[in-house]
Amino acid sequence: MSAERRPSADTDAQEQIPETGIPLKKLFIKTYGCQMNVYDSQRMTDALTADGYELTDSADGADLVILNTCHIREKAAEKIYSELGRLKPLAEAKKRAGGKMTVGVAGCVAQAEGGEILRRQPMVDLVVGPQSYHRLPQMARDAASGAPAVETDFPLEDKFDHLPRERRVTGPTSFLTVQEGCDKFCAFCVVPYTRGAETSRPVAQVIEEAERLAAQGVVEISLLGQNVNAYHGVDPDGRETGLGALLRRLSRIDGVKRLRYTTSHPNDMDDELIAAHADIAEVMPYLHLPVQSGSDQVLQAMNRRHTAEAYVRLIEKIRTARPDIALSGDFIVGHPGETEEDFQQTLALVREVGYSQAYSFKYSPRPGTPAADREQVAEDEKTDRLARLQELLNAQQMAFQEACIGRTLKVLLEKPGRKPNQLVGRSPYLQAVHVEVDPSLSGTIVDVAIEAAGPNSLAGRLVETAT
Ligand code: SAH
Ligand code: SF4
Ligand code: F3S
């Protein structure tokens, strides 16, 4: 592989594995879906860079291209096949130049469809499910020498024990997956099938990873899990630890100034976690707590196992603990069985709760899930309900944004903005904030007086007397 001829453009820039003189192979990863896939792509990159690859920002000329896929809705899954079609001419060009572009499909489509992907698109060389990423370097070697490789088992060994411990850090914020999989089996959802049973990483493993991140300058850590607040990792004494206690432990790490977590299920929002919002300064006042629907009848059909009223009461409790908390959520419209009256109850719940921001989707039938076989709501009905829901959610978002004008917010400056001397950061409520400052302040938390608000970002000026 290393001896292939390359297009002249990247020959000069080619770096080498120290002391061996072997050129680094080029790796391109495209990530779809949720933040857990973003984290997984970083870990795949870590594993492959330890094996002679360097990350590149284009598939053109790459030796290994990985699509890290999402299966949550039909459109997400279908995107992969059109992307593979677009890769074909690049793979052929690479072949004409005497090389080989190895093409891999990872993530939830890989887990759901397995070897079927190779039959549908023979240009694919390897298919790897989310629990097997530690095996990727070996699989890539096998595939590059012409043997298609498929790994979609849930292996007995823990991938985290086999992935490199050192992570490449790219800024002051980082994701950290603490929990994977789901046992809830909501009637619409593929996650329990693509990510498997719910598991939690041991406390010591999480702390070690967080400490390494902090030592590299990470200031904000977002804990991830498909059901992150179901976290129950064992501590070194063998005791189960909930997410609230884990946050408390992480907040004591030197350098960690902000903690977030996503995504949570209402039924796992225990008192210890709610208390963490009240009394751990590092835990940010933002919570993504999907409810999906405001109708008890639909919640039951979805197998969510709580009522709309229980959710609203839970929100009240959380707001009592942390009055300024910004709430986010997910909604599905047109789930099988949803009537106009049910949908009206969703609108009523949204009005009662008041979200700072939320995601909403048309129900998409997923093969193998219970709701897919039920009588479906008409497409135009779904379109109409989604538009009405989004109008309300957008208005709430705008109201929340505008209410920030005149306030001074603590902003973690993360990266350059579009204008010179402008940085973009995040408020405690996860809003993007643009501010003109000395770029050397990147990675620090500063006070910003908010002067303007758009639907998706705020703008303000640095308050000199930052505390
Ligand atoms: N674990 C999270 C959700 C993960 S999936 C939770 O329980 O809240 C992210 C979101 O995608 C879900 O909250 C849901 O709103 C949406 N979603 C999942 N399956 C879907 C489907 N079949 N059609 C439309 N939206 C779906
Ligand atoms: Fe999917 Fe979330 Fe339900 Fe699990 S709890 S099945 S991830 S929607
Ligand atoms: Fe998609 Fe898998 Fe995440 S289906 S939303 S990438 S868990």
Side-chain angles (χ1 to χ4, degrees), residues 32-38 40 68-73 76 107-109 130 189-191 194-195 226 366:
Y32 301 83
C34 63
Q35 290 152 325
M36 302 204 52
N37 264 11
V38 174
D40 287 347
N68 191 9
T69 62
C70 175
H71 203 248
I72 201 81
R73 286 168 287 276
C108 292
V109 177
C189 183
V190 291
V191 170
T194 62
R195 295 280 176 161
Q226 270 89 19
R366 308 309 294 129

Side-chain angles (χ1 to χ4, degrees), residues 415-424 434-440:
K415 55 183 180 206
R418 252 170 284 161
K419 297 184 198 153
N421 284 333
Q422 189 191 54
L423 291 177
V424 188
H434 298 261
V435 52
E436 273 174 42
V437 280
D438 183 338
S440 69

Side-chain angles (χ1 to χ4, degrees), residues 136-379:
L136 198 49
Q138 182 59 47
M139 291 178 73
R141 274 195 290 275
D142 294 347
S145 58
V150 178
E151 288 268 9
T152 51
D153 294 344
F154 290 93
L156 287 176
E157 79 266 18
D158 177 357
K159 69 177 169 193
F160 292 110
D161 287 337
H162 298 270
L163 285 165
R165 292 195 163 168
E166 208 54 58
R167 289 182 52 194
R168 207 173 66 109
V169 160
T170 51
T173 65
S174 184
F175 292 140
L176 199 177
T177 292
V178 299
Q179 178 281 328
E180 290 192 283
C182 181
D183 293 339
K184 297 234 168 15
F185 290 93
C186 299
F188 51 82
C189 183
V190 291
V191 170
Y193 311 94
T194 62
R195 295 280 176 161
E198 199 222 293
T199 56
S200 297
R201 293 178 70 187
V203 173
Q205 208 187 63
V206 172
I207 288 171
E208 191 201 323
E209 191 170 327
E211 283 174 344
R212 282 173 187 269
L213 291 171
Q216 292 184 79
V218 168
V219 174
E220 174 180 302
I221 297 179
S222 295
L223 305 181
L224 301 182
Q226 270 89 19
N227 246 296
V228 73
N229 61 342
Y231 179 83
H232 59 276
V234 287
D235 71 10
D237 301 329
R239 279 188 307 247
E240 282 202 352
T241 302
L243 191 66
L246 182 72
L247 287 164
R248 202 170 292 277
R249 179 64 190 77
L250 292 170
S251 70
R252 294 192 204 116
I253 296 176
D254 261 359
V256 171
K257 301 206 174 85
R258 288 182 162 193
L259 291 165
R260 302 181 184 277
Y261 59 95
T262 200
T263 293
S264 299
H265 190 289
N267 289 359
D268 293 315
M269 208 64 218
D270 63 20
D271 289 348
E272 196 175 17
L273 183 52
I274 296 174
H277 279 282
D279 54 42
I280 304 176
E282 289 80 4
V283 175
M284 288 293 102
Y286 174 90
L287 177 63
H288 183 70
L289 195 63
V291 64
Q292 316 294 355
S293 167
S295 148
D296 288 344
Q297 196 256 122
V298 174
L299 286 169
Q300 196 174 10
M302 288 175 162
N303 193 30
R304 291 292 288 186
R305 297 167 197 258
H306 63 77
T307 60
E309 201 203 326
Y311 178 84
V312 172
R313 276 204 311 267
L314 175 62
I315 297 295
E316 282 165 6
K317 198 166 162 186
I318 295 165
R319 281 195 165 132
T320 305
R322 181 76 206 220
D324 70 332
I325 200 157
L327 288 165
S328 165
D330 293 341
F331 295 89
I332 295 179
V333 299
H335 187 274
E338 186 189 74
T339 63
E340 172 62 25
E341 200 189 321
D342 293 317
F343 173 68
Q344 289 296 335
Q345 290 171 12
T346 298
L347 294 177
L349 179 141
V350 171
R351 279 189 211 103
E352 184 163 0
V353 170
Y355 289 89
S356 70
Q357 181 263 351
Y359 303 92
S360 47
F361 314 97
K362 284 193 239 180
Y363 169 73
S364 168
R366 308 309 294 129
T369 59
D373 298 329
R374 301 183 192 153
E375 196 182 327
Q376 301 294 311
V377 172
E379 187 61 28

